[in-house]
Amino acid sequence: MLGSLVLLVQAETYDMVKEYAGTTFFNEWTFYDHFDNLTNGDVQFLGATEAASAKLAFVDPATNHAIIKVDNTSTVPDQQKRNSVRIQTNVMFAIGSLWTVDMLHVPYGCSVWPAFWSHSPNWPTGGEIDTFEAVNLQTRNQMSLHTLPGCKQVSPNQSANTTFIPNADCSFQTNMNEGCNVLDPNTASYGAAFSQAGGGVWITEFAETGISIWFMPRANVPSAVSSNSSTIDTSTLGTPVANWPTGGCDMDTFFGPQNIIFDITLCGDLADAPGLFAQTCPGMCYESWVVGNGSNYATAYFEIASMRVFSKTGTNTIIDPSKSGAASALTASSSGLLVYVTGLFSVGIASWLFGW
Ligand SMILES: *[C@@H]1O[C@H](CO)[C@@H](O)[C@H](O)[C@H]1NC(C)=O
Ligand SMILES: *[C@@H]1O[C@H](CO)[C@@H](O)[C@H](O)[C@H]1NC(C)=O
Ligand SMILES: *[C@@H]1O[C@H](CO)[C@@H](O)[C@H](O)[C@H]1NC(C)=O
Ligand SMILES: *[C@@H]1O[C@H](CO)[C@@H](O)[C@H](O)[C@H]1NC(C)=O
Ligand SMILES: *[C@@H]1O[C@H](CO)[C@@H](O)[C@H](O)[C@H]1NC(C)=O
């Protein structure tokens, strides 16, 4: 009886409420139009117009896929930054949401630090969910939560075994904000191996029962996802690779509405963390790679077939700060930049230093 109750609670159906794909992919994002003062990377994030004309954020007419990339055609002199892109959804998604991202290629290479993640505007209040993040020539994706103190990963039901769980405490104050992270055992979850396998899909469930992430390389993408079904039933997805049940981390306490973000920075607090860069790359992060003609960055791009957001069946979890009544959320969003700067930069430093 109890067992079936638990299963009932865990299986959930979601209906699509928003799609970012094809020619309109870039329509509803805010471009972070400033140098990287968030994670100290050696990049200038371009505004929407500049990013489009420099072809760093565009929809490839041949494939209808969105491309987000680092400038690989300019010669960058010493002391200068290289152009890149960081975009964040205009709207937020509340608890009871699920998002899928279907990608053909993820950015990699020495000095490259990409992420596909989300955070609440008043971070660390409201939390952060990192679905995809890695640096340099690492071979595994790292998934992570970052929160106020008191949230832990307890009794996860996930396919990654304890070998792949460096830290279970999600508090931003623990281990230099390492986050409660889970490494994907699958080495097709990052780098050249990801695109060689035809890319894949990440599904992030942000539910009252907890947060779960599934990763499916192309060959394993279920038809409910590959067929662009408007409904996803999580009971058909199997065991997630990473799971943080609400038992160890009360979702309503630690998590609020999330903006979803794609960004690529170079070096900075994580890719160039002491000892970490040298684990997979030669030379000096900035001097040997960022400076110069950019030929290193031909692989530093996201190729995205779609990003879709779903709400628990019968609900709509979209929160639009531009609509009246949500003005305070918008204010919080701009001031939040100051605090969430720490949200991403030290993700996993400790674990990666220890050679995961
Ligand atoms: C996916 O399905 C939705 C309706 O459920 C539709 O609006 C959208 O255009 C479809 N996308 C693609 C890429 O076929
Ligand atoms: C773990 O998740 C799987 C897939 O959702 C489910 O079949 C299984 O019953 C769960 N196990 C536990 C202990 O909850
Ligand atoms: C770009 O710089 C690299 C490293 O300095 C060099 O090997 C390569 O030949 C250069 N490419 C071009 C097209 O100048
Ligand atoms: C720049 O990167 C693209 C892939 O994004 C690649 O097709 C192109 O050849 C690269 N250009 C140079 C000059 O390396
Ligand atoms: C980054 O720069 C912007 C624009 O000057 C500023 O509003 C923001 O507060 C800065 N953020 C940090 C963390 O310094």
Side-chain angles (χ1 to χ4, degrees), residues 6-7 10 157 234 238-240:
V6 169
L7 278 178
Q10 285 183 339
N157 183 0
T234 58
T239 304

Side-chain angles (χ1 to χ4, degrees), residues 73-257:
T73 56
S74 304
T75 294
V76 170
D78 194 22
Q79 308 299 320
Q80 303 288 306
K81 296 172 190 302
R82 187 169 284 285
N83 290 336
S84 186
V85 176
R86 180 193 194 279
I87 58 172
Q88 167 172 323
T89 52
N90 291 343
V91 296
M92 297 185 286
F93 305 101
I95 292 186
S97 300
L98 173 149
W99 47 91
T100 66
V101 65
D102 183 332
M103 300 204 268
L104 283 297
H105 190 280
V106 291
Y108 66 91
C110 292
S111 75
V112 179
W113 173 12
F116 171 71
W117 58 295
S118 73
H119 73 83
S120 209
N122 290 322
W123 191 98
T125 300
E128 168 182 336
I129 306 168
D130 301 329
T131 298
F132 164 81
E133 181 173 40
V135 296
N136 303 320
L137 295 179
Q138 290 181 331
T139 57
R140 289 194 163 87
N141 176 41
Q142 177 166 273
M143 301 150 280
S144 194
L145 306 184
H146 300 264
T147 64
L148 287 170
C151 164
K152 293 193 169 133
Q153 190 191 40
V154 178
S155 305
N157 183 0
Q158 64 186 21
S159 59
N161 67 31
T162 51
T163 312
F164 298 100
I165 309 176
N167 176 41
D169 189 343
C170 313
S171 168
F172 77 106
Q173 292 176 347
T174 300
N175 293 351
M176 294 168 60
N177 189 28
E178 179 180 339
C180 45
N181 42 8
V182 177
L183 291 164
D184 196 323
N186 188 336
T187 51
S189 59
Y190 187 57
F194 174 79
S195 42
Q196 277 156 16
V201 173
W202 279 274
I203 300 178
T204 307
E205 183 188 27
F206 175 35
E208 291 283 353
T209 50
I211 292 169
S212 300
I213 297 174
W214 288 262
F215 170 63
M216 292 111 173
R218 186 66 54 202
N220 303 340
V221 175
S223 62
V225 177
S226 59
S227 68
N228 184 26
S229 166
S230 58
T231 299
I232 289 185
D233 176 352
T234 58
S235 71
T236 66
L237 302 178
T239 304
V241 62
N243 168 244
W244 297 265
T246 200
C249 178
D250 183 66
M251 288 292 131
D252 290 321
T253 304
F254 292 100
F255 284 88

